[in-house]
Amino acid sequence: MAVSGFEGFEKRLELHFFGDDNDPTVTTMGLRLLDFESLENVLRVVQCTVVSAVGNHFFDAYVLSESSLFVYPTKIIIKTCGTTQLLKSIRPLIHLAKNLGLTICGCRYTRGTFIFPKSQPFPHINFKQEVIYIEENLPNNLCFRKASVMPSKNPSYSWHVFSSASDNGVHFSDGEFTVEVCMTELDRVLARKFFKTGGDSAAKEMTDLTGIGNINPRALICDFVFDPCGYSMNGVDGDRYSTIHVTPEDGFSYASFEYVGSVYDDQDDIVETLKKAVQVFKPATVSVSTTSHRREVWTRVAHAMEPLGLKCRSFAMDEFPTAGTVVFQTFTAARRK
């Protein structure tokens, strides 16, 4: 393991808002009315920038210099890696939303265990500090709060969750689920595919060459290649997003895959989507977090991993106010303990 390197493990922040239901601009546009300069100012505080963007009728998706940003009318998701200061976005985002007539009603923060924790700046030095910082920056109406570190058998793989909501707060759609996959020790041959070799079309070539484009063929893909290596993509499919980020350097190789789905989809789709994503990288270790109100999702995860030679090593489950059930599972290649 390298002593220091680029931190692949992302921090993820999801904020929900509500406004006047009788005002059609809130329900149809809302946060999407934020001008680009305002978003850039928030990202500057976090210490990242927009490198590519795409939008559709439902939401806007931005590839960042360190991961991704998704803006819906009443929901915003920021996911950043490296030594970004993600939580510093909370206060300015609440302020910008207020100017649009929107009030925060839900917050969820998740992350894995950093590979290089000593490199993290304030307020990300440890989870306790992160929770204190979040709570100091949330209004009092978000009264239902819970923080938890979900363990695994390997102390290097824990899942950190903070969730809060107000009385009239967000209740995540009953059928919606979020899957967050973190992969380490990527297959070296496959990881080499994420080193830049081409010119302007390098991102599209990488998407096609690696099989990422086949994970969800329906999705409109916005991709970006970093110099000399690294890759990010956002997939846009109706009102759902997916995102992949890759740090391919040997010694601290890492890839993440996240997507939103519905329990009303074909259950085999969940399995196939996960299998396709993990096969792109053939990692030695995988952790999968699912957030849902229904049990159908986490039970399908093992069905996707086992045929790839990945054995379930740990399982943890916890309930969070209004966010539903979070299940955290870790898998390692059967050849490794």
Side-chain angles (χ1 to χ4, degrees):
M1 174 70 74
V3 176
S4 68
F6 187 79
E7 180 59 67
F9 274 92
E10 298 97 348
K11 315 161 183 98
R12 180 189 185 278
L13 179 68
E14 181 172 335
L15 301 176
H16 289 251
F17 300 85
F18 74 96
D20 183 354
D21 287 339
N22 297 318
D23 182 352
T25 57
V26 169
T27 49
T28 57
M29 289 302 291
L31 295 165
R32 298 182 73 187
L33 294 172
L34 291 173
D35 60 272
F36 187 64
E37 188 181 352
S38 296
L39 287 175
E40 277 190 312
N41 289 339
V42 174
L43 295 172
R44 196 173 295 122
V45 173
V46 174
Q47 298 188 338
C48 59
T49 56
V50 173
V51 295
S52 190
V54 69
N56 68 3
H57 180 65
F58 299 99
F59 69 104
D60 300 309
Y62 301 86
V63 175
L64 306 179
S65 54
E66 274 90 0
S67 304
S68 293
L69 164 68
F70 303 99
V71 182
Y72 289 78
T74 58
K75 173 173 72 175
I76 195 159
I77 297 157
I78 313 187
K79 187 169 183 168
T80 64
C81 55
T83 53
T84 48
Q85 295 168 286
L86 174 63
L87 295 178
K88 288 190 174 182
S89 66
I90 295 175
R91 189 168 289 215
L93 285 172
I94 291 173
H95 176 73
L96 288 169
K98 197 171 183 180
N99 291 341
L100 294 172
L102 292 164
T103 303
I104 188 166
C105 60
C107 168
R108 186 162 90 225
Y109 174 67
T110 55
R111 69 166 174 86
T113 299
F114 297 127
I115 302 171
F116 307 110
K118 289 188 168 76
S119 300
Q120 290 298 315
F122 175 86
H124 298 282
I125 292 166
N126 57 52
F127 187 56
K128 184 179 179 183
Q129 185 188 76
E130 289 173 317
V131 171
I132 291 168
Y133 187 87
I134 296 170
E135 295 203 307
E136 284 174 348
N137 284 279
L138 291 179
N140 293 333
N141 68 307
L142 271 70
C143 48
F144 300 107
R145 302 182 179 191
K146 180 173 179 177
S148 176
V149 179
M150 304 178 72
S152 76
K153 286 181 179 174
N154 183 340
S156 301
Y157 294 90
S158 298
W159 193 244
H160 305 72
V161 186
F162 174 89
S163 180
S164 66
S166 61
D167 271 334
N168 56 344
V170 53
H171 288 268
F172 291 83
S173 167
D174 185 42
E176 187 179 284
F177 64 82
T178 305
V179 179
E180 297 169 71
V181 183
C182 301
M183 297 168 270
T184 56
E185 298 173 78
L186 312 183
D187 178 276
R188 288 184 181 187
V189 174
L190 297 177
R192 291 300 303 177
K193 293 181 180 179
F194 295 95
F195 280 75
K196 189 173 182 179
T197 54
D200 293 343
S201 61
K204 186 181 185 316
E205 287 168 11
M206 211 172 267
T207 300
D208 295 339
L209 178 72
T210 58
I212 285 172
N214 295 326
I215 296 171
N216 177 4
R218 296 186 308 272
L220 169 65
I221 289 179
C222 181
D223 44 23
F224 191 85
V225 174
F226 296 91
D227 201 1
C229 65
Y231 169 91
S232 287
M233 86 81 168
N234 292 332
V236 173
D237 180 13
D239 62 350
R240 301 178 193 175
Y241 69 87
S242 57
T243 185
I244 287 176
H245 303 285
V246 188
T247 303
E249 293 98 319
D250 201 25
F252 49 94
S253 63
Y254 171 85
S256 67
F257 170 64
E258 177 182 335
Y259 83 108
V260 173
S262 168
V263 293
Y264 305 114
D265 295 343
D266 185 332
Q267 295 297 296
D268 289 338
D269 281 359
I270 300 171
V271 174
E272 285 309 306
T273 300
L274 279 173
K275 270 170 75 172
K276 285 182 192 172
V278 174
Q279 275 178 307
V280 168
F281 305 101
K282 295 201 169 120
T285 305
V286 182
S287 68
V288 184
S289 167
T290 55
T291 305
S292 173
H293 284 283
R294 309 281 283 271
R295 73 186 297 275
E296 293 97 319
V297 184
W298 61 259
T299 55
R300 307 300 291 171
V301 172
H303 293 285
M305 299 299 149
E306 283 162 2
L308 305 179
L310 291 159
K311 185 169 166 39
C312 186
R313 303 294 179 183
S314 66
F315 177 98
M317 179 188 284
D318 207 344
E319 300 282 337
F320 290 84
T322 71
T325 303
V326 176
V327 173
F328 177 62
Q329 300 176 75
T330 62
F331 300 82
T332 58
R335 67 184 183 277
R336 310 189 188 198
K337 293 294 179 234

